[in-house]
Amino acid sequence: MNNVKGKLIIIGGAVDKGSFTEASYDANIANNLNFFETGILRRIIRESKHGEESRIEVITTASVIPREVGPQYVKAFEYLQAKNVGLMYIEKREQTKDPEILARIQAADVVMFTGGDQLRLTSILGGTKLHDIILDKFKNEDFIYAGTSAGAAAASNNMIYQGSSQEALLKGEVKITSGLSLIENVIIDTHFVQRGRMGRLFQAVVGNPRVLGIGLGEDTGLLITSDGKMEAIGSGLVILVDGRQIMDTNLTQVELGKPISINNMIVHVMSMYDTYDLNTHVMEIHNSQYSIPLFTPAETDSDPVNDDKE
């Protein structure tokens, strides 16, 4: 993230946008707005260049049901008072040459990639003029790349695109390819807690311990700023897998399909407002039990008010 001006907001999936499909949505607004007021989409608007006036483009390329998914995000952003939200159905590589689409991306303050299949996202957008514009804006402008599920997984240089959760610590079960390259030296997995994907991230990291594994729970994300600081946002957990202190593994000694052993892998667990510095590899817990003194100093026997009394 060095030498860039933009921000990343990566989300683990299943973002609670509120139940817009409910006929009684407005009647239940008090319940449904809890996410809006404290959650991820509200934070995207707040972090954007012009706030509620920012140009936001929702891009559904990863989804196989884009016309169901896209309008829900648009409606959610608009309910949060975002006044300039667009929706782009980019389903073929040839569309990435469309001058109108390129002009809209160039004018955007935020691009929001929905969930689906991250390989579909990278195979359609990777290496195109549209991809180049996003990378250039991210490097040189106050611009936000936001992605949920597939949109998050595709943000880094290295991208997990396949791998059984149950067999993830068997050699060769996790498949990795190149992502959209907005951030280096991390690899991101999504729906992390709910789908039991810890083993997938372990195998990804043991193969190259320089890479920090990031596991995003559902309705949970990270805000990553240009100074390399990551802040947990949303209601769930972020798991970080740091392999730099790994002492030993059998990775290169076992055959494909055999279990992998790893000695001394470090795992951190983050929740809302916790931070992690990608440069120093230091995590700070926002509500640490050690930020409050464990005991108060004993009171002295002297009584200042009465010191002069004999």
Side-chain angles (χ1 to χ4, degrees):
M1 290 290 289
N2 294 329
N3 302 316
V4 302
K5 295 183 179 179
K7 302 171 187 172
L8 279 179
I9 296 181
I10 50 174
I11 310 158
V15 179
D16 181 1
K17 301 178 297 297
S19 301
F20 284 107
T21 55
E22 293 179 4
S24 59
Y25 177 81
D26 290 319
N28 293 325
I29 196 69
N31 293 328
N32 290 326
L33 272 182
N34 179 59
F35 168 76
F36 290 151
E37 296 305 316
T38 62
I40 298 168
L41 298 189
R42 176 74 262 177
R43 188 64 180 270
I44 291 173
I45 296 171
R46 194 165 79 237
E47 292 288 338
S48 66
K49 184 175 182 180
H50 301 294
E52 293 173 356
E53 303 293 334
S54 290
R55 179 63 185 174
I56 300 172
E57 294 286 0
V58 177
I59 303 175
T60 61
T61 302
S63 179
V64 295
I65 50 169
R67 282 158 180 78
E68 295 178 32
V69 171
Q72 291 294 305
Y73 279 94
V74 172
K75 194 169 186 180
F77 276 121
E78 290 178 343
Y79 211 96
L80 288 167
Q81 308 305 312
K83 299 175 175 62
N84 197 6
V85 185
L87 178 56
M88 305 177 75
Y89 299 117
I90 302 173
E91 299 169 341
K92 299 178 181 178
R93 280 183 71 85
E94 63 188 59
Q95 291 177 265
T96 64
K97 302 176 183 178
D98 187 320
E100 180 183 350
I101 286 177
L102 295 178
R104 286 174 61 181
I105 294 294
Q106 189 67 64
D109 301 301
V110 179
V111 293
M112 172 77 190
F113 286 93
T114 67
D117 181 349
Q118 53 263 43
L119 197 57
R120 176 177 168 83
L121 180 58
T122 56
S123 65
I124 292 175
L125 300 186
T128 64
K129 178 65 173 176
L130 186 152
H131 185 196
D132 289 342
I133 290 173
I134 289 174
L135 290 174
D136 182 70
K137 288 175 67 69
F138 182 70
K139 182 176 181 180
N140 297 303
E141 299 180 22
D142 183 0
F143 172 77
I144 292 177
Y145 173 104
T148 182
S149 188
S156 57
N157 269 19
N158 305 289
M159 179 184 80
I160 296 173
Y161 71 93
Q162 186 177 330
S164 163
S165 298
Q166 291 78 15
E167 299 178 343
L169 267 179
L170 302 181
K171 183 176 177 178
E173 286 297 321
V174 177
K175 306 297 190 296
I176 298 173
T177 189
S178 298
L180 295 177
S181 301
L182 284 94
I183 183 171
E184 298 179 345
N185 297 325
V186 304
I187 191 162
I188 302 159
D189 210 352
T190 59
H191 300 281
F192 192 73
V193 177
Q194 292 78 359
R195 299 186 187 178
R197 289 178 168 174
M198 183 73 78
R200 293 194 352 167
L201 209 52
F202 284 171
Q203 183 165 167
V205 171
V206 74
N208 184 359
R210 178 182 177 84
V211 174
L212 179 72
I214 299 175
L216 302 169
E218 295 186 353
D219 192 25
T220 305
L222 283 173
L223 165 64
I224 309 177
T225 50
S226 58
D227 59 359
K229 296 288 180 62
M230 304 196 303
E231 178 190 340
I233 56 179
S235 64
L237 300 176
V238 176
I239 311 297
L240 302 181
V241 178
D242 183 352
R244 292 173 306 125
Q245 305 302 320
I246 289 175
M247 300 297 294
D248 197 7
T249 178
N250 63 352
L251 180 65
T252 62
Q253 302 303 111
V254 298
E255 298 177 358
L256 288 174
K258 297 299 183 180
I260 300 171
S261 302
I262 308 169
N263 179 14
N264 206 47
M265 179 174 275
I266 297 172
V267 176
H268 305 284
V269 182
M270 301 174 69
S271 58
M272 189 182 289
Y273 306 127
D274 293 346
T275 61
Y276 185 90
D277 190 319
L278 288 168
N279 298 309
T280 63
H281 299 281
V282 172
M283 176 180 165
E284 293 188 6
I285 295 178
H286 171 72
N287 196 28
S288 169
Q289 65 184 18
Y290 303 120
S291 62
I292 300 172
L294 298 180
F295 55 87
T296 57
E299 292 183 2
T300 62
D301 293 331
S302 62
D303 183 356
V305 175
N306 298 315
D307 275 351
D308 58 351
K309 292 183 179 179
E310 294 290 337

